[in-house]
Amino acid sequence: MLYLVADVGGTNCRLALADETGVRAETVRRFRNDNYSCFADLARGYIDEQPSLSAAAIAIAGPVGKGEGRLTNRDWHFDAVGLARDLSLSAVHLLNDLEALGHAISILPDSSFEHLSGTPIDEEPQAMVVGLGTGFNVSVTHRPSGVVYAAEMGHARLPHPVASIIEAEVEDSRAFDTVEHLLSGKGLAKFHTARTGLTCAPEELGTAPGGPETLAIMARALGALTREVAYLYLPEGGIYFNGSLARTLLTGPNRAAALAPLTSDTLFDGRMARIPTYLLTDDASALHGCARYLAVAV
């Protein structure tokens, strides 16, 4: 049986076919959302070129619940029953994109991520994904059972250690009261403007006036948050970072600052410092997570 798997972001969407062995790499296609009025129109053009498909799993960059979902940064609404009818599929399963990544990390090859710190321990079952890109969210996974716990942490208030860093840098920190208001692409640009009075696209901050300093502060904020989530969820099987902002902060000179609050923690005989951290580098990771979800759910 063939399935449709999809990873729908605010700007782009990736589609692919999957079977019981996983994603068929040669079928992965990338589409720009601006060219389509809704997801069904986008997917229909792809499906029309494929052999008969059974079910679908769709990962969405936004909240999902009770068979419905919506993109956080685009006016696209998803209804599982309606999509199954419109796309002539037996069933459609909707997942938050971080939930899909939670399913993926159990099956991704080592080439799909970069080890950053800590001591990998295969037998530790609990792990988590931290996504920083257009938005922010996390998921927690129990890898042996395949159970993934979804969340909407981006809308939670900033923990005090993170808020303290921001309050010391900008005059009015109230604009950064939730995690996503700060630790996202838009949050990064907004924080830079609040700190310097200058406007700059997030991807250009590395060379912009005051940009390197803004990135260094953001790395410290990420480090403070990482330590907090480590204590909240005990992800001793690993913390997997994903997204464009995560790559910016964890591949350059700010990596050490972003990891220091965790790697230097001495409580509990250094237990937290030993938690391994990784950076996901495979853009198709969520597709693999959707395929694994279908292997269990269908």
Side-chain angles (χ1 to χ4, degrees):
M1 291 173 44
L2 277 177
Y3 307 111
L4 174 71
V5 290
D7 177 18
V8 188
T11 304
N12 300 300
C13 174
R14 287 182 176 83
L15 299 179
L17 301 183
D19 55 27
E20 66 276 3
T21 65
V23 175
R24 294 187 175 184
E26 73 278 6
T27 68
V28 177
R29 300 288 185 274
R30 183 173 178 269
F31 300 88
R32 188 164 182 83
N33 296 351
D34 283 343
N35 297 330
Y36 303 89
S37 61
C38 63
F39 175 77
D41 288 344
L42 185 156
R44 193 176 293 112
Y46 178 83
I47 290 175
D48 287 346
E49 300 175 358
Q50 309 301 336
S52 179
L53 302 179
S54 179
I58 304 170
I60 301 168
V64 173
K66 297 182 179 180
E68 296 187 355
R70 62 175 177 81
L71 287 180
T72 298
N73 293 290
R74 180 176 291 269
D75 188 23
W76 280 12
H77 179 264
F78 296 75
D79 173 73
V81 174
L83 281 172
R85 181 188 62 246
D86 293 344
L87 300 177
S88 300
L89 298 170
S90 62
V92 168
H93 303 268
L94 302 178
L95 298 81
N96 175 265
D97 57 343
L98 265 291
E99 185 182 356
L101 289 173
H103 286 285
I105 60 175
S106 297
I107 60 172
L108 289 175
D110 291 347
S111 59
S112 295
F113 48 82
E114 178 185 355
H115 176 236
L116 303 176
S117 68
T119 306
I121 304 175
D122 292 337
E123 60 266 25
E124 290 292 348
Q126 191 156 294
M128 73 181 304
V129 182
V130 178
L132 303 92
T134 303
F136 180 99
N137 202 6
V138 303
S139 67
V140 180
T141 178
H142 186 271
R143 291 184 292 185
S145 67
V147 174
V148 176
Y149 300 94
E152 282 296 340
M153 188 177 172
H155 301 287
R157 299 297 182 189
L158 277 181
H160 177 70
V162 184
S164 295
I165 293 173
I166 303 310
E167 290 168 359
E169 300 292 341
V170 298
E171 185 172 328
D172 185 1
S173 62
R174 290 172 296 179
F176 308 99
D177 59 339
T178 72
V179 177
E180 189 170 290
H181 284 158
L182 179 69
L183 289 164
S184 65
K186 289 183 178 180
L188 173 63
K190 187 174 181 179
F191 175 68
H192 180 68
T193 299
R195 194 183 73 83
T196 67
L198 303 174
T199 301
C200 181
E203 62 272 16
E204 298 173 354
L205 275 177
T207 56
E213 292 80 8
T214 295
L215 291 173
I217 297 166
M218 192 67 71
R220 290 170 48 216
L222 174 59
L225 183 67
T226 299
R227 181 190 180 277
E228 297 304 303
V229 297
Y231 275 92
L232 284 170
Y233 300 109
L234 289 178
E236 294 180 277
I239 299 174
Y240 293 75
F241 293 96
N242 184 70
S244 56
L245 181 54
R247 294 177 187 181
T248 296
L249 299 177
L250 294 169
T251 58
N254 294 310
R255 174 187 290 183
L259 297 175
L262 183 68
T263 58
S264 63
D265 195 296
T266 59
L267 295 179
F268 302 104
D269 296 321
R271 181 180 178 184
M272 300 303 164
R274 291 191 293 272
I275 292 176
T277 63
Y278 305 90
L279 180 65
L280 285 168
T281 56
D282 185 351
D283 289 334
S285 294
L287 296 179
H288 291 285
C290 287
R292 183 174 188 259
Y293 175 86
L294 285 170
V296 175
V298 177

